[in-house]
Amino acid sequence: MTINEFNFAGKKAIVRVDFNVPLDENGKITDDTRIRGALPTLKKILNEGGALIIMSHMGKPKGKVNMKFSLGQIVDAVSAALGVPVQFAPDCAKAKEQADALKAGEVLLLENLRFYPEEEGKPVGIDKEDPAYKQAKADMKASQKEFAKTLASYADCYVMDAFGTAHREHASTAVIDQFFSADNRMLGLLMEKEVNAVDAVLGNIKRPFVAIMGGSKVSTKIGIIENLLGKVDKLILCGGMTYTFAKAHGGEIGDSIVEMDKLDVALGVEELAKKNGVELVMADDCTATNGLDFGTMSVKDGAEIITCPSDKVPAGFEGVDAGPDAQKAFAEAIKGAKTILWNGPAGVFECDAFTAGSRAIGDAIAEATANGAFSLIGGGDSVACVNKFGLADKVSYISTGGGALLEAIEGKVLPGVAAIEA
C-alpha cells in the first residue's frame, strides 16, 4: 500500500515524521527543512478529509523528560507550515482522549517520543555487563511493544515518513506497524522519494557510476566504501581520511588527522578497488595551514596557508582541504558520470578559506546533473556544502537521512522500511 492508493477521508492517521529540527537558545527553529519535507504527506491527509496525529523525536533526552527537547516549542511553526491550528499532547502515552476527539482536518502533535525509554527500547540505568541486563532488555522490549500499541490505538492507519530514523528499531518506526493491517500501513511521500533515490543509485544504476566519500575517518565509512567498491566505476576518497591513506604508504602528514590503527584498512581498500577494477581517485596535493582555529572556524592571525603534496605535509601543518591538482582530478573524474553519490566534504568547508575542494566537487556534480546524471547528496556535511554553495536546485536529490542513508548505502536493511513492506 502506498499513500497515493489510500483514501484518508474520515480516517485518523498517525504519522511518524522527523521534526528533529535545530533550535537556537530561545527555542526558535533555525532550519525548518525537515518540517517542509514532511508537508506533502501531511497536507495530503488533511486535504482528503483525514485527521492527523503527528509524532516525532527531538534531540537525545535518553528516556527522560527534558523540556529543552520539548516539541511544544515548535507547535506554532508546524501550525504556520500546515496552515491550520495544531493541538499539542504534552504526554504522548496519554493522548487517547485528545486523539479520539479529533475531527477531519484537525491536527494533534504528540510530545517528544524519546521522553519515554520505551521508544528506543533500551534499558536505562543498567550496564550491559550487569548479569541482570539480559532480563532488563527483555522486559524493555515487552514495554516497547506496549508503548507502540498505545500509539497505534490513536489512529486507523499508520504512515512512516521519517527516513532519518528508518534505520532505528524504535517503537514508532519498526514496532507500531504490527498493530495495523498491511493495507493500513504505508510509506509517506518523503519516504518514497528517499527509497526511490537510493534505488536509483544502488539498484537501477546508470553508468558510469561515481561515488565521492569524504569526511575525517576511514573507520566510519569502511562498510560503505567496501559495498560501493562492488558497484561503482570510480570512487573519490577525500577529506581527512586522505592522510590515513598517505600515512599507510609512509608519507609525512604533519599534524593532519590520521587513524594509525587503520593503515592496514586503507591498504585493503586500495587492494579491493584494484581487484574490482574500480578507479580510486585521491588527492595528490592539499591545502595545509599551521593556524586553523576550529572553535571559530577561522585562520588565526599570522598563520600560514600553503599547498603541498598530501604525503609531504610539513611538521606543524595540517591538511585542511584538497589542493588545486586534486580539485581538477576530482572534477575530471565526475565529468561524464551518469550516477553520482556524494557523502562527505573534501575539507574543512566550514571555514571560508578552505571551501575550494568541496566547491570543486559540488560544481562538477551540478554540471554532470545538467548533462543528464542522477545525483544523490546525503549526509549533513555534504548537504551543508550544497546549501552553502547555492547548488541545492542543481542536483537531483538531497537526502534528509544521515545515518539511514549511510546504512542503506552500506547494503543494510532499514527496519523502518522493512516493517512497512512485511
Side-chain angles (χ1 to χ4, degrees):
M1 174 64 66
T2 72
I3 192 170
N4 287 318
E5 297 170 317
F6 195 86
N7 184 0
F8 289 98
K11 302 287 187 180
K12 287 189 177 76
I14 188 164
V15 185
R16 178 52 157 107
V17 297
D18 183 5
F19 281 179
N20 184 27
V21 293
L23 304 176
D24 64 18
E25 62 275 8
N26 298 314
K28 300 298 182 183
I29 298 171
T30 58
D31 183 350
D32 67 350
T33 301
R34 288 173 174 167
I35 292 177
R36 286 187 284 108
L39 290 180
T41 290
L42 303 181
K43 287 185 174 182
K44 184 180 190 302
I45 294 168
L46 294 176
N47 291 341
E48 291 185 2
L52 184 59
I53 301 158
I54 303 172
M55 56 179 176
S56 178
H57 75 285
M58 179 181 282
K60 297 180 179 180
K62 299 181 179 179
K64 297 180 181 178
V65 175
N66 182 339
M67 298 315 289
K68 175 184 176 182
F69 301 118
S70 174
L71 289 179
Q73 300 171 93
I74 68 170
V75 169
D76 289 345
V78 177
S79 296
L82 284 174
V84 297
V86 172
Q87 302 172 43
F88 183 64
D91 188 333
C92 60
K94 297 178 181 178
K96 179 70 172 169
E97 187 174 332
Q98 286 176 275
D100 286 348
L102 281 181
K103 297 181 177 63
E106 293 185 339
V107 184
L108 176 66
L109 174 65
L110 305 184
E111 180 57 286
N112 193 339
L113 293 164
R114 290 187 185 174
F115 282 0
Y116 281 79
E118 290 86 356
E119 163 64 1
E120 296 183 83
K122 298 177 182 177
V124 177
I126 183 168
D127 191 88
K128 288 185 178 181
E129 304 302 319
D130 191 312
Y133 179 81
K134 185 175 181 180
Q135 183 59 50
K137 185 177 180 180
D139 292 342
M140 178 56 75
K141 286 298 180 184
S143 297
Q144 183 185 47
K145 188 172 182 178
E146 284 302 310
F147 181 60
K149 185 178 182 180
T150 297
L151 296 173
S153 71
Y154 301 158
D156 304 303
C157 56
Y158 167 66
V159 181
M160 173 58 174
D161 210 28
F163 186 70
T165 58
H167 60 312
R168 306 295 189 191
E169 291 191 63
H170 291 174
S172 65
T173 62
V175 182
I176 190 174
D177 64 284
Q178 63 189 274
F179 299 103
F180 294 93
S181 62
D183 56 356
N184 282 289
R185 61 177 190 250
M186 66 212 81
L187 298 180
L189 297 174
L190 179 61
M191 279 289 293
E192 285 189 329
K193 286 169 64 178
E194 295 278 3
V195 171
N196 290 340
V198 171
D199 184 62
V201 168
L202 299 182
N204 185 27
I205 301 169
K206 294 180 180 177
R207 300 190 179 278
F209 178 13
V210 179
I212 304 103
M213 287 286 118
S216 59
K217 296 182 178 180
V218 181
S219 57
T220 59
K221 302 284 177 74
I222 185 60
I224 301 159
I225 290 170
E226 289 177 344
N227 190 47
L228 286 173
L229 285 173
K231 299 178 182 294
V232 300
D233 300 293
K234 298 178 183 179
L235 177 62
I236 297 172
L237 297 179
C238 56
M241 70 175 77
T242 299
Y243 309 101
T244 296
F245 281 87
K247 192 66 177 178
H249 289 282
E252 296 298 328
I253 60 170
D255 293 342
S256 305
I257 188 171
V258 64
E259 292 180 284
M260 292 300 294
D261 62 336
K262 294 294 183 289
L263 302 186
D264 58 332
V265 172
L267 295 175
V269 166
E270 294 181 0
E271 283 300 314
L272 185 57
K274 188 182 299 182
K275 178 182 177 182
N276 290 355
V278 175
E279 181 183 342
L280 203 58
V281 182
M282 287 188 281
D284 288 332
D285 65 342
C286 69
T287 297
T289 185
N290 59 359
L292 175 60
D293 185 334
F294 279 93
T296 61
M297 282 299 169
S298 62
V299 181
K300 298 173 184 176
D301 290 342
E304 295 180 70
I305 298 176
I306 64 172
T307 298
C308 61
S310 299
D311 58 356
K312 291 183 174 61
V313 181
F317 283 75
E318 60 182 325
V320 289
D321 196 11
D325 290 343
Q327 293 165 33
K328 292 176 185 175
F330 295 165
E332 186 61 31
I334 295 167
K335 183 179 179 181
K338 290 303 178 187
T339 302
I340 303 169
L341 170 67
W342 183 19
N343 176 267
V348 188
F349 75 97
E350 298 91 341
C351 177
D352 290 341
F354 307 123
T355 60
S358 298
R359 180 75 200 227
I361 290 171
D363 285 343
I365 292 174
E367 183 178 342
T369 305
N371 290 329
F374 178 85
S375 52
L376 171 59
I377 316 299
D381 287 341
S382 301
V383 174
C385 282
V386 167
N387 289 330
K388 181 171 184 173
F389 304 146
L391 299 172
D393 60 346
K394 296 181 181 179
V395 298
S396 303
Y397 192 73
I398 298 175
S399 177
T400 60
L405 178 67
L406 295 183
E407 291 201 12
I409 295 169
E410 196 171 338
K412 294 181 178 179
V413 174
L414 302 182
V417 177
I420 295 294
E421 296 176 344

